[in-house]
């Protein structure tokens, strides 16, 4: 496996050491130059020795280790960048770049060994001795995997050599030790975390499976994602570890992991899976799922695979015929890249004969085109011999891509970053010396640590027109591209750019996505997949946590009374005061304003009754005035009868103040007018009963009560009782008068426009005083009901007060138990009934005699009744 480890070496004349026994030499690619760009590349698998060969996870039936051909582009991107720089006279003029590329074989021991080779080896390997002064290392570019980068940093940082990683994020141990010589050619991983969360939120995927590589980086990813999930309403449906380097000969291990993977894959609720790992882990996972699809039933092929930027969709030579439909519609975060002018043409001209220093191309060519070069031709037919004239551009994209990948783009920019830093360093020195004359001495005195200040402040435009610079944390200032993988039956695929993660966008707005361009897996029939623990709670319902399960798994329960939810999966909320919940509890409806108006039937009926009784009262008053000299009118104080009739007329009319929209004036005066007028009417009744009783006593011989019977007593009683009520109302209006208000809560669907009584205690004092007057009148009239008077009103007053008290006693509980217009109607009804009771019981018998029995309305009848 190749893990690019690229370094810059200054070539000067000198001797090489010759000590120690010969050791096996890893695959490498060497290109000479004044400055050598060399490196170690990841996930190119080669046979190194018999021990490594036996343990290696990928090898074909000939015993030749499989090669991940796609990563050969990384080496070619390095060669292309070096070629461009050497042909550019504007940068590092009179200096040619070269490079070393070594393979780490995806093995820690080999990574350490190859790194030491790069630092110290010429022909023989003597650790910590530089016997070849032609190899003065300036910088290292690598590696693709975070583990490889970490292993390299253990050695490289000790010598303060700049290390530019091009495919991995900063390893966790790098963060802990704060290595100063580590530069990241990929953006901050936190931006990828933000992009993943926003992608899941965009499609409302809340029940997500995670496959993570089984190492410290995978552990860090799981811990970070679990924290972000809980903060953003997302749950991990399952978490499965992927072996960092699995061996297919360990069948027991494979079957155990495959069994764990099988369960979430058959769960229809989990449609979305995140794969965190490098390309080798994705390749291994694809192989396991491919194996399961042939062994297990009910394995749903329709899944959305979200891949992180470390991984790529790859196949080895022996897997060229695998069905790639599994990843159809996958969404991949990739390192941002752009096409470089001339790069595709450069790839087309690559042939096995183009350089003798390329130690990789023979193996790449044999497995890419399924052929053999002459040394192995005896094992194959002539038709299987490599012609060397094939083109890499004709290979399927899972094997090799001519479109520049994000990793290759990072390598390209890394080479240019080092070149520009060297150019700035040499330019600074050339200001003090003549460059041509002192080139040799400048190169000899150059130390790798001197490059750090220039790298940290580097900023340049590459050939694609993009600005390349590092942040304060030595990470490239860029974002991620969001790619949609569209596969085809001929094993090819196409990457469709559907958006990006903008590193400069405000927090929470980093993801920019074009949903219309996404091609989903055919299983979903181009409908956005659903990945949830249970169905959405529709409008009118809210979530209720299910005990023992994650918060993403919930029950849907109806909203409580007075609350609604108008969107899917939202909590119920209370409607505004001026609105109420509909029957389905899915929306708020504006409440209608309610008051007892003249236009509605109840208002019309009450107003008609009030006017009718007013007209009847006027007729009675006219009748009494017309027959004012008749005995029946003159009996029981004619003036009190007039006052009482006028008061009853006003009582009927004052009920009209309770109808219509409550306003400040009507609210202020309607209860006061009702209280004063009714107190005056009841005072008149009380005065009548008192006068009847006194008149009977005064007629007895020797009684001294004769002087009390007269108009003065009647007027005094009416005025005294009325003035007390008037004083109470005056205090009420001056201190806390009634006022109009909106009652939002009494009735669910209405806003009641009503009068607030201001002081409820004073209002009930007024009613209590009326009740006290009525009770007094009833008691006095009850005792005087049998007095021998032909026109004695006591019995009629008794009935009128009985009706009056019955109405108002029943009024109180009814009034307190009703709301809105019903409350107003109850009070109007009580006013009309009590007033009609007084009018009917006291005056209708007299009117009957006056109108229908006029013969009874004479003095003779009065005297005859008295003598009887």
């Amino acid at each position: 496996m190749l893990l690019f480890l690229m370094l810059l070496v200054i070539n000067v004349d000198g001797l090489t050491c010759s000590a120690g026994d010969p050791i096996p030499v890893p695959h490498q690619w060497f290109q000479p130059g004044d400055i050598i760009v060399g490196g170690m590349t990841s996930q190119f698998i080669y046979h190194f020795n018999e021990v490594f060969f036996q343990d290696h996870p990928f090898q074909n039936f000939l015993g030749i280790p499989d090669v991940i051909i796609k990563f050969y582009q990384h080496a070619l991107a390095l060669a292309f960048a070096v070629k461009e720089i050497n042909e550019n006279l504007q940068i590092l003029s009179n200096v040619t770049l070269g490079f070393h590329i070594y393979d780490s074989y995806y093995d820690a021991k080999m990574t350490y060994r190859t790194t030491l080779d790069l630092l110290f080896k010429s022909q023989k390997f003597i650790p910590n001795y530089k016997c070849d002064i032609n190899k003065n290392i300036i910088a290292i570019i690598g590696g693709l995997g975070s583990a490889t980068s970490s292993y390299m940093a253990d050695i490289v940082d000790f010598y303060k050599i700049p290390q530019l990683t091009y495919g991995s994020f900063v390893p966790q141990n790098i963060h802990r030790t704060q290595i100063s010589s580590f530069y990241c050619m990929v953006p901050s991983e936190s931006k990828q975390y933000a992009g993943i969360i926003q992608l899941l939120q965009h499609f409302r995927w809340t029940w997500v499976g995670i496959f993570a590589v089984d190492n410290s980086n995978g552990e860090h990813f799981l811990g970070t994602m679990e924290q972000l999930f809980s903060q953003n309403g997302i749950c991990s449906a399952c978490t499965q570890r992927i072996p960092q380097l699995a061996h297919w000969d360990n069948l027991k291990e494979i079957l155990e992991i495959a069994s764990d993977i099988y369960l979430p894959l058959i769960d229809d609720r989990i449609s979305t899976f995140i794969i965190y790992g490098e390309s080798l882990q994705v390749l291994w996972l694809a192989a396991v799922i491919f194996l399961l699809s042939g062994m297990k039933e009910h394995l749903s092929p329709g899944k959305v695979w979200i891949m992180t930027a470390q991984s790529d969709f790859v196949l080895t030579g022996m897997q060229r015929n695998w069905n790639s439909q599994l990843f159809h519609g996958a969404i991949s975060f990739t390192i941002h890249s752009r096409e470089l002018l001339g790069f595709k043409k450069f790839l087309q001209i690559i042939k096995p004969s183009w350089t003798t220093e390329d130690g990789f191309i023979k193996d790449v060519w044999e497995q890419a085109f399924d052929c053999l070069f002459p040394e192995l031709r005896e094992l194959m037919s002539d038709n299987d011999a490599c012609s060397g004239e094939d083109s890499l551009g004709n290979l399927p994209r899972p094997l090799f891509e001519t479109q520049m990948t994000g990793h290759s783009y990072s390598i390209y920019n890394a080479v240019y970053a080092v070149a520009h830093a060297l150019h700035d360093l040499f330019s600074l020195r050339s200001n003090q010396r003549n460059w041509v004359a002192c080139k040799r001495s400048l190169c000899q005195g150059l130390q790798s640590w001197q490059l750090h200040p220039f790298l940290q402040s580097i900023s340049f435009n590459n050939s694609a027109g993009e600005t390349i610079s590092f942040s304060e944390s030595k990470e490239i200032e860029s974002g991620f591209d969001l790619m949609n993988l569209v596969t085809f039956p001929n094993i090819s695929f196409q990457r469709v750019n559907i958006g990006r993660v903008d590193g400069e966008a405000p927090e929470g707005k980093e993801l920019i996505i074009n949903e219309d361009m996404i091609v989903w897996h055919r299983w979903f029939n181009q409908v956005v997949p659903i990945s949830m623990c249970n169905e959405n709670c529709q409008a009118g319902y809210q979530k209720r946590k299910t005990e023992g399960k994650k918060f993403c798994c919930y029950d849907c329960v109806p909203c409580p009374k007075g609350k609604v939810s108008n969107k899917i999966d939202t909590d119920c909320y209370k409607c505004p005061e001026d609105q109420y919940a509909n029957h389905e509890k899915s929306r708020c409806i504006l409440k209608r304003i309610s008051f007892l108006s003249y236009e509605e039937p109840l208002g019309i009926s009450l107003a008609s009754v009030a006017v009718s009784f007013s007209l009847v009262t006027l007729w009675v008053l006219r009748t009494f005035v017309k027959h004012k000299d008749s005995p029946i009118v003159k009996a029981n104080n004619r003036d009190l009868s007039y006052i009482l009739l006028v008061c009853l007329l006003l009582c009927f009319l004052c009920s009209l103040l309770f109808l219509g929209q409550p306003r400040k004036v009507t609210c202020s005066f309607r209860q006061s007018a009702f209280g004063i007028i009714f107190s005056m009417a009841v005072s008149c009744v009380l005065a009548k009963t008192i006068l009847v009783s006194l008149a009977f006593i005064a007629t007895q011989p020797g009684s001294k009560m004769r002087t009390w019977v007269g108009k003065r007593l009647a007027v005094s009683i009416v005025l005294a009782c009325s003035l007390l009520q008037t004083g109470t109302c005056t205090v009420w209006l001056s201190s806390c008068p009634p006022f109009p208000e909106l009652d939002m809560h009494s009735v669910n669907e209405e806003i009641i426009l009503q009068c607030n009584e201001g002081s409820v205690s004073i209002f009930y004092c007024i009613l209590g005083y009326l009740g006290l007057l009525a009770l007094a009148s009833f008691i006095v009239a009850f005792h005087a009901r049998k007095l021998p008077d032909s026109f004695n009103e006591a019995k009629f007053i008794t009935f009128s007060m009985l009706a009056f008290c019955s109405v108002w006693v029943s009024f109180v509980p009814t009034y307190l138990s009703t709301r809105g217009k019903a409350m107003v109607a109850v009070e109007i009804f009580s006013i009309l009934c009590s007033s009609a009771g007084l009018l009917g019981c006291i005056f209708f018998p007299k009117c009957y005699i006056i109108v229908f029995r006029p013969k009874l309305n004479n003095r003779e009848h009065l005297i005859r009744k008295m003598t009887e």
Side-chain angles (χ1 to χ4, degrees):
M1 285 189 180
L2 287 181
L3 268 172
F4 270 133
L5 173 65
M6 306 167 194
L7 50 121
L8 300 182
V9 180
I10 304 298
N11 276 359
V12 292
D13 295 335
L15 301 175
T16 60
C17 295
S18 177
D21 296 327
I23 60 173
V25 179
H27 281 71
Q28 65 169 308
W29 182 356
F30 172 70
Q31 175 69 44
D34 294 320
I35 299 177
I36 305 298
V37 182
M40 184 182 295
T41 145
S42 163
Q43 295 167 354
F44 235 52
I45 303 174
Y46 288 98
H47 166 69
F48 173 60
N49 55 31
E50 228 16 68
V51 175
F52 184 74
F53 170 77
Q54 292 172 358
D55 292 339
H56 211 282
F58 293 97
Q59 54 184 333
N60 60 26
F61 68 95
L62 290 175
I64 302 174
D66 249 356
V67 176
I68 300 180
I69 305 165
K70 177 179 285 191
F71 292 149
Y72 185 54
Q73 189 195 92
H74 302 172
L76 297 178
L78 171 65
F80 179 71
V82 171
K83 177 177 177 293
E84 277 193 344
I85 292 172
N86 288 337
E87 293 174 354
N88 187 355
L89 299 178
Q90 302 301 319
I91 181 173
L92 293 179
S93 58
N94 299 320
V95 176
T96 58
L97 288 180
F99 55 84
H100 281 288
I101 303 176
Y102 278 83
D103 187 4
S104 73
Y105 298 91
Y106 212 88
D107 181 76
K109 291 186 293 185
M110 287 302 299
T111 303
Y112 286 124
R113 165 62 191 276
T114 309
T115 305
L116 291 172
D117 280 355
L118 287 166
L119 297 179
F120 305 114
K121 180 185 174 185
S122 56
Q123 295 178 350
K124 302 295 181 182
F125 174 63
I126 304 177
N128 213 32
Y129 280 89
K130 268 189 202 178
C131 300
D132 184 0
I133 61 175
N134 289 320
K135 201 172 182 181
N136 185 16
I137 297 176
I138 297 302
I140 295 178
I141 303 175
L144 178 60
S146 59
T148 304
S149 300
S150 177
Y151 300 150
M152 293 163 54
D154 292 340
I155 299 175
V156 170
D157 186 65
F158 184 76
Y159 297 98
K160 305 302 180 185
I161 301 173
Q163 178 184 350
L164 293 82
T165 179
Y166 66 90
S168 61
F169 299 107
V170 180
Q172 295 311 301
N173 61 331
I174 298 292
H175 282 302
R176 289 194 295 269
T177 57
Q178 297 182 344
I179 292 180
S180 60
S181 60
F182 197 92
Y183 297 84
C184 220
M185 295 305 297
V186 297
S188 171
E189 191 171 13
S190 61
K191 297 177 183 177
Q192 180 171 246
Y193 292 144
I196 293 174
I197 294 298
Q198 291 173 39
L199 178 65
L200 298 177
Q201 289 179 326
H202 179 82
F203 291 110
R204 302 178 65 86
W205 293 330
T206 58
W207 195 238
V208 182
I210 303 178
F211 292 102
V213 60
D214 191 8
N215 60 15
S216 60
N217 291 313
E219 188 70 30
H220 174 73
F221 177 81
L222 289 176
T224 304
M225 292 308 297
E226 285 291 348
Q227 183 178 0
L228 292 175
F229 277 4
S230 63
Q231 293 173 359
N232 293 277
I234 304 170
C235 296
S236 57
C238 64
T239 55
Q240 179 61 46
R241 304 301 180 89
I242 309 174
Q244 187 170 1
L245 191 62
H247 300 280
W248 289 102
D249 56 351
N250 191 342
L251 185 59
K252 182 179 179 181
E253 177 188 3
I254 298 298
L255 291 178
E256 288 178 355
I257 299 176
S259 178
D260 294 335
I261 292 175
Y262 173 71
L263 293 177
L265 290 179
I266 63 173
D267 190 344
D268 293 335
R269 297 177 303 169
I270 312 175
S271 297
T272 305
F273 287 90
I274 301 172
I275 305 177
Y276 181 85
E278 298 166 13
S279 301
L280 194 60
Q281 285 86 52
V282 176
L283 185 61
W284 181 89
L285 180 62
V288 172
I289 297 176
F290 181 76
L291 178 65
L292 285 172
S293 62
M295 298 172 56
K296 301 284 188 179
E297 297 179 356
H298 312 297
L299 186 63
S300 171
K303 302 296 180 184
V304 179
W305 299 96
I306 300 175
M307 302 184 194
T308 53
Q310 303 96 312
S311 61
D312 197 356
F313 180 55
V314 298
L315 290 177
T316 65
M318 75 173 184
Q319 298 164 328
R320 63 173 67 240
N321 295 321
W322 279 16
N323 186 357
S324 60
Q325 299 302 304
L326 169 68
F327 292 109
H328 180 68
I331 297 176
S332 175
F333 288 83
T334 62
I335 300 169
H336 172 69
S337 65
R338 281 193 179 181
E339 284 299 315
L340 300 175
L341 185 64
F343 184 66
K344 285 188 177 180
K345 184 178 180 181
F346 176 77
L347 296 180
Q348 296 290 342
I349 65 173
I350 300 299
K351 304 294 179 183
S353 59
W354 83 301
T355 175
T356 59
E357 301 296 336
D358 186 352
F360 304 121
I361 194 168
K362 182 175 71 67
D363 290 337
V364 169
W365 214 264
E366 286 179 341
Q367 296 203 29
F369 298 103
D370 197 17
C371 63
L372 288 175
F373 281 100
E375 57 267 28
L376 293 176
R377 186 178 299 176
E378 62 273 10
L379 301 177
M380 307 291 289
S381 64
D382 290 339
N383 295 331
D384 295 322
C386 295
S387 65
E389 298 302 322
D390 297 302
S391 174
L392 293 173
N394 297 330
L395 292 173
R397 295 188 70 170
L399 290 179
F400 189 84
E401 289 189 67
T402 56
Q403 181 179 356
M404 174 161 277
T405 65
H407 294 149
S408 297
Y409 190 68
S410 295
I411 294 170
Y412 179 86
N413 289 329
V415 176
Y416 265 92
V418 174
H420 277 281
L422 277 170
H423 180 80
D424 293 342
L425 175 59
F426 289 153
S427 298
L428 180 64
R429 291 189 175 188
S430 65
N431 290 334
Q432 302 172 357
R433 306 180 184 183
N434 181 273
W435 165 249
V436 177
C438 300
K439 184 185 78 169
R440 181 183 181 88
S441 61
L442 285 173
C443 292
Q444 286 179 340
L446 186 62
Q447 299 294 324
S448 57
W449 58 265
Q450 295 175 322
L451 206 60
H452 286 295
F454 299 93
L455 273 176
Q456 292 175 14
S457 60
I458 198 71
S459 180
F460 64 93
N461 290 333
N462 62 13
S463 60
E466 291 192 318
T467 301
I468 307 300
S469 61
F470 290 104
S471 64
E472 292 182 359
S473 57
K474 299 181 183 179
E475 294 169 319
I476 204 72
E477 291 185 336
S478 179
F480 296 94
D481 292 332
L482 203 60
M483 295 293 184
N484 184 212
L485 195 66
V486 182
T487 63
F488 303 101
N490 61 354
I491 318 177
S492 64
F493 70 88
Q494 181 180 2
R495 298 180 194 269
V496 180
N497 192 319
I498 58 172
R500 70 181 190 275
V501 177
D502 188 354
E504 298 180 357
E507 185 177 355
K509 303 291 184 181
E510 293 90 346
L511 182 67
I512 301 172
I513 187 170
N514 187 349
E515 185 178 341
D516 296 334
M517 295 182 64
I518 300 178
V519 176
W520 302 108
H521 195 282
R522 297 174 182 86
W523 181 269
F524 301 115
N525 197 24
Q526 205 51 32
V527 176
V528 177
I530 298 175
S531 190
M532 304 181 67
C533 183
N534 49 268
E535 294 183 359
N536 293 312
C537 288
Q538 301 299 319
Y541 292 82
Q542 68 178 352
K543 301 176 184 178
R544 184 176 66 186
K545 188 179 183 303
T546 304
E547 292 297 329
K549 295 183 179 180
K550 293 190 175 183
F551 66 87
C552 292
C553 300
Y554 47 81
D555 296 324
C556 295
V557 295
C559 291
K561 185 178 179 180
K563 293 186 176 183
V564 300
S565 63
N566 57 359
K567 293 182 180 179
I568 294 176
D569 280 344
T570 56
D571 292 332
C572 298
Y573 62 91
K574 196 170 183 179
C575 289
E577 287 189 337
D578 60 342
Q579 300 178 26
Y580 68 96
N582 65 343
H583 181 70
E584 293 79 15
K585 299 178 182 178
S586 59
R587 64 188 181 96
C588 293
I589 302 175
L590 192 65
K591 291 181 178 180
R592 60 182 181 274
I593 297 178
S594 173
F595 58 88
L596 189 58
S597 66
Y598 291 101
E599 287 80 13
E600 58 185 296
L602 180 60
I604 294 173
S605 301
L606 293 174
S608 300
V609 172
V611 172
S612 300
F613 277 118
S614 299
L615 294 176
V616 172
T617 305
L618 283 174
W619 176 79
V620 174
L621 179 60
R622 179 179 175 278
T623 302
F624 267 58
V625 171
K626 183 178 179 181
H627 299 87
K628 61 182 178 178
D629 295 326
S630 62
I632 200 169
V633 173
K634 293 173 65 177
N636 302 108
N637 201 315
R638 177 177 53 188
D639 294 332
L640 282 179
S641 297
Y642 292 158
I643 297 173
L644 178 57
L645 285 171
V646 173
C647 290
L648 291 177
L649 174 64
L650 295 177
C651 285
F652 289 123
L653 293 177
C654 82
S655 65
L656 298 178
L657 293 174
F658 292 84
L659 292 171
Q661 180 176 344
R663 301 184 184 279
K664 187 175 181 180
V665 175
T666 56
C667 285
S668 298
F669 290 104
R670 68 183 189 180
Q671 297 290 7
S672 299
F674 155 72
I676 293 173
I677 293 171
F678 258 77
S679 64
M680 186 176 292
V682 177
S683 299
C684 291
V685 174
L686 178 62
K688 275 180 171 288
T689 57
I690 292 175
L691 287 178
V692 169
S693 300
L694 291 179
F696 177 76
I697 297 173
T699 58
Q700 295 181 1
S703 176
K704 297 181 180 180
M705 298 297 297
R706 188 180 298 271
T707 58
W708 291 95
V709 178
K711 293 182 180 180
R712 293 175 59 186
L713 177 61
V715 172
S716 299
I717 293 173
V718 173
L719 287 177
C721 294
S722 300
L723 287 175
L724 184 59
Q725 185 79 298
T726 303
T728 304
C729 293
T730 303
V731 173
W732 187 15
L733 293 177
S734 60
S735 59
C736 46
F739 57 89
E741 71 168 0
L742 294 175
D743 182 2
M744 304 283 193
H745 308 291
S746 296
V747 181
N748 184 41
E749 300 178 4
E750 297 178 352
I751 299 176
I752 301 174
L753 182 56
Q754 64 183 9
C755 290
N756 187 307
E757 306 303 345
S759 175
V760 178
S761 58
I762 296 180
F763 172 66
Y764 284 110
C765 284
I766 292 174
L767 291 180
Y769 181 70
L770 286 176
L772 182 63
L773 290 178
L775 182 62
S777 299
F778 173 75
I779 294 173
V780 175
F782 182 79
H783 286 292
R785 71 187 186 282
K786 294 183 179 180
L787 293 177
D789 189 353
S790 180
F791 298 109
N792 183 13
E793 290 182 311
K795 63 180 69 174
F796 301 118
I797 292 174
T798 302
F799 285 114
S800 66
M801 286 297 101
L802 184 61
F804 187 91
C805 292
S806 299
V807 169
W808 288 105
V809 166
S810 61
F811 161 78
V812 174
T814 307
Y815 182 82
L816 295 176
S817 62
T818 55
R819 291 290 181 270
K821 62 178 67 176
M823 178 185 288
V824 178
V826 166
E827 189 165 2
I828 295 175
F829 182 78
S830 299
I831 291 173
L832 295 178
C833 285
S834 58
S835 301
L838 292 176
L839 180 66
C841 292
I842 297 176
F843 294 101
F844 277 5
K846 295 182 180 181
C847 289
Y848 175 78
I849 293 174
I850 293 172
V851 176
F852 297 104
R853 305 291 297 273
K855 293 181 179 181
L856 301 178
N857 187 14
N858 54 64
R859 184 177 178 81
E860 290 75 13
H861 176 72
L862 176 62
I863 295 173
R864 186 168 58 250
K865 292 292 282 183
M866 291 181 64
T867 57
E868 293 176 356

